[in-house]
Amino acid sequence: MALHCQEFGGKNYEASMSHVDKFVKELLSSDAMKDYNRARVYLDENYKSQEHFTALGSFYFLHESLKNIYQFDFKAKKYKKVTGKEIYSDTLESTPMLEKEKFPQDYFPECKWSRKGFIRTRWCITDCAFDLVNIHLFHDASNLIAWETSPSVYSGIRHKALGYVLDRIIDQRFEKVSYFVFGDFNFRLDAKAVVETLCAKATMQTVRAADTNEVVKLIFRESDNDRKVMLQLEKKLFDYFNQDVFRDNNGTALLEFDRELTVFKDRLYELDISFPPSYPYSEDSSQGKQYMNTRCPAWCDRILMSHSAKELILKSENDEKIVVYDHIGPNVCMGDHKPVFLSFRIAAGAGKPIANVHKCCVVQ
């Protein structure tokens, strides 16, 4: 079981990071996890190192029924058998069992510093080798700027960062294996196209700052019906009058505006989405289904894979649902993001043609 967390320690990580170790130890020793007799936990907690800090947390729990699992040592370039439970925190740069990078500052210059980056680990289970990549891409800083162009400037920044990660994990330093990339991609709907569709019959009013003449607000009103306000748009406000459009039928009517993956269709595969947008949910504990009116709801949190990884997933031969791609806690407050999960079985021998698996036998 692989669990990838972003913004580990929370938004107020300087104050709350002290609670992380206690949480992790309680999780590892909990009754619910008693059948997972081996674990690896990697926590990037060193927030004082702004040059390296990503706030990523990667958890890997190995069930007792799995007999031989190996993890790749990127420094020694060989697999090592996984035994026991180990936690690595603070500075991860010295850990040879993973690769970690924070994106360069010039990727997102308008942000003084960010915690965006990725952590990669490599595993071998029953002769099947694959990478698991925890990722956090850049957000939209302003709804108004996102609305200006299609695709938005922020979409271009995410495109560049994700391309960098994919190039990095298939470069010439190590043998190529299948990979799963999952985390907060911050993918957003095409804001311009969404607004034009939702407000097709509306008129737009522009509000400018008195001193700078800068656009600070857009107000979309119905052409009739007493000029009812349909949408108000500000830097951090997306207030649409009818949230049901994002929830009805899991928001599938809006999937046509989820376009950021199309440029990677030759490199990445995703199962069909059948859950509502995963962000931005209310952080009011009594409002588990409610979206905040800060951003247009979008499928930010995803589980993607290489096309070769798709072949590792065992296809069901009957009606039993072996592969499940869904979200967690639909009616419960889980913070501003709803976690998503992918559950599947690895096909026996599926990795052999692509993983050059005999190398898995060279272990320590």
Side-chain angles (χ1 to χ4, degrees):
M1 180 161 53
L3 171 65
H4 285 177
C5 302
Q6 300 78 44
E7 299 291 8
F8 209 73
K11 293 183 174 71
N12 300 315
Y13 50 84
E14 289 164 320
S16 56
M17 197 66 84
S18 59
H19 302 291
V20 164
D21 290 343
K22 181 174 182 286
F23 165 77
V24 171
K25 286 172 183 173
E26 287 190 3
L27 178 63
L28 287 173
S29 61
S30 67
D31 190 56
M33 302 302 294
K34 67 180 186 299
D35 293 335
Y36 294 83
N37 60 356
R38 292 148 293 169
R40 292 293 182 270
V41 179
Y42 304 102
L43 307 172
D44 189 5
E45 298 180 336
N46 188 16
Y47 58 81
K48 293 180 180 177
S49 175
Q50 292 192 6
E51 183 181 347
H52 300 291
F53 181 50
T54 64
L56 293 172
S58 296
F59 296 70
Y60 305 101
F61 306 101
L62 312 180
H63 195 272
E64 61 188 10
S65 62
L66 293 170
K67 300 307 178 188
N68 293 303
I69 300 183
Y70 304 97
Q71 188 181 1
F72 191 66
D73 182 321
F74 288 95
K75 189 173 182 179
K77 294 189 176 183
K78 62 183 178 182
Y79 289 88
K80 296 181 178 179
K81 190 167 185 175
V82 181
T83 59
K85 297 178 181 180
E86 296 176 3
I87 301 172
Y88 298 85
S89 60
D90 198 27
T91 304
L92 297 182
E93 281 72 29
S94 59
T95 305
M97 307 309 287
L98 58 79
E99 285 197 319
K100 189 197 96 172
E101 280 194 53
K102 180 176 175 177
F103 296 120
Q105 181 65 48
D106 59 5
Y107 272 43
F108 200 40
E110 67 182 85
C111 195
K112 288 182 181 177
W113 69 283
S114 77
R115 299 175 290 279
K116 308 302 191 287
F118 71 94
I119 289 177
R120 167 201 194 185
T121 55
R122 176 170 290 189
W123 305 83
C124 186
I125 302 175
T126 59
D127 291 340
C128 179
F130 52 85
D131 284 349
L132 300 177
V133 183
N134 186 351
I135 193 167
H136 194 185
L137 298 183
F138 300 96
H139 61 282
D140 282 14
S142 167
N143 292 324
L144 294 169
I145 292 175
W147 180 80
E148 289 175 352
T149 58
S150 176
S152 77
V153 61
Y154 305 117
S155 174
I157 294 169
R158 288 187 286 272
H159 177 190
K160 179 180 179 182
L162 180 53
Y164 174 85
V165 174
L166 297 181
D167 289 344
R168 182 74 173 159
I169 62 180
I170 63 164
D171 63 19
Q172 300 302 312
R173 294 170 302 136
F174 307 104
E175 180 184 9
K176 291 181 183 179
V177 300
S178 302
Y179 54 84
F180 296 85
V181 186
F182 49 112
D184 179 7
F185 292 83
N186 262 315
F187 289 156
R188 307 299 170 97
L189 305 186
D190 188 314
K192 191 171 184 65
V194 168
V195 170
E196 288 174 351
T197 299
L198 294 178
C199 302
K201 296 181 179 179
T203 56
M204 184 180 78
Q205 174 190 350
T206 303
V207 180
R208 296 179 180 271
D211 51 348
T212 63
N213 205 37
E214 178 187 4
V215 175
V216 293
K217 189 171 189 173
L218 300 174
I219 303 173
F220 296 83
R221 300 177 185 272
E222 289 188 354
S223 302
D224 45 25
N225 196 23
D226 297 327
R227 306 272 295 149
K228 175 184 174 183
V229 174
M230 299 181 69
L231 172 68
Q232 296 185 78
L233 202 64
E234 297 177 13
K235 180 179 180 180
K236 293 187 177 181
L237 178 72
F238 188 97
D239 190 2
Y240 188 63
F241 78 104
N242 178 21
Q243 279 205 2
D244 288 343
V245 71
F246 304 111
R247 288 190 291 258
D248 287 349
N249 197 25
N250 290 324
T252 49
L254 296 169
L255 276 171
E256 65 173 295
F257 305 111
D258 179 69
R259 300 168 177 170
E260 295 198 30
L261 258 182
T262 54
V263 292
F264 294 101
K265 65 180 185 296
D266 293 335
R267 306 179 71 178
L268 290 169
Y269 173 80
E270 181 180 31
L271 276 81
D272 290 339
I273 291 176
S274 59
F275 49 88
S278 64
Y279 171 87
Y281 281 91
S282 169
E283 294 177 309
D284 181 335
S285 60
S286 65
Q287 300 289 332
K289 283 187 169 182
Q290 187 76 13
Y291 288 106
M292 284 193 286
N293 61 1
T294 52
R295 308 285 185 188
C296 177
W299 289 272
C300 292
D301 307 275
R302 315 281 276 263
I303 299 172
L304 312 177
M305 65 195 81
S306 62
H307 287 279
S308 59
K310 178 180 66 171
E311 303 306 318
L312 300 181
I313 298 176
L314 182 63
K315 296 291 189 294
S316 177
E317 295 179 357
N318 50 38
D319 294 333
E320 184 185 355
K321 211 171 183 185
I322 291 178
V323 180
V324 182
Y325 185 33
D326 205 347
H327 68 320
I328 295 172
N331 304 313
V332 181
C333 176
M334 307 279 290
D336 56 352
H337 289 258
K338 294 283 191 201
V340 302
F341 73 93
L342 174 64
S343 172
F344 62 89
R345 295 180 182 180
I346 292 179
K352 292 188 176 180
I354 58 162
N356 196 9
V357 295
H358 63 274
K359 291 191 176 181
C360 278
C361 300
V362 185
V363 298
Q364 180 171 302

